[in-house]
Amino acid sequence: MFGVNQSLLRFWENEFDIIQPRKNRKGDRHFRPVDIKNLELIYDLLRRRKLTIEGAKDFLKKSSRAKEHFEMIQSLQSLKGFLLEIKAAL
């Protein structure tokens, strides 16, 4: 989904408290929808905005509305994609 290694996801899980996937007895991780949204937020901060791990942690601590802001940006991007599809169809 993110195009990153499993080891990187495990590293992010250790570094960021907001990612808490459920684990079965075997140790397999089951990511809930909230975990996926948090991973998208972390991916955006680290890969697209090019923040460091510490910078991303500080951003999440300082900005209590970071998740809401990120979700709004994603919904606007999907709306933009939809409108561009409509424009191309005309």
Side-chain angles (χ1 to χ4, degrees):
M1 183 174 184
F2 298 104
V4 297
N5 294 329
Q6 294 174 359
S7 59
L8 183 59
L9 293 177
R10 288 192 302 270
F11 175 73
W12 288 350
E13 179 186 339
N14 290 333
E15 290 294 317
F16 296 95
D17 296 334
I18 61 173
I19 302 173
Q20 299 174 349
R22 305 235 186 249
K23 295 179 186 174
N24 62 12
R25 291 182 187 186
K26 188 177 170 184
D28 296 333
R29 289 167 175 79
H30 297 281
F31 291 95
R32 299 168 293 161
V34 68
D35 293 321
I36 299 296
K37 288 187 180 203
N38 289 333
L39 281 170
E40 287 177 343
L41 176 61
I42 291 169
Y43 181 84
D44 181 64
L45 292 173
L46 296 176
R47 298 297 170 122
R48 293 188 188 127
R49 295 186 191 184
K50 305 291 185 191
L51 294 178
T52 63
I53 296 285
E54 293 303 318
K57 285 181 183 179
D58 289 341
F59 180 82
L60 291 172
K61 285 179 186 175
K62 291 179 183 176
S63 177
S64 61
R65 300 185 65 190
K67 291 180 188 178
E68 295 172 12
H69 182 68
F70 178 71
E71 290 174 2
M72 186 182 344
I73 289 173
Q74 278 196 318
S75 65
L76 289 173
Q77 287 175 341
S78 65
L79 179 62
K80 179 183 176 181
F82 176 71
L83 292 174
L84 288 174
E85 287 177 14
I86 291 174
K87 181 181 176 183
L90 294 177

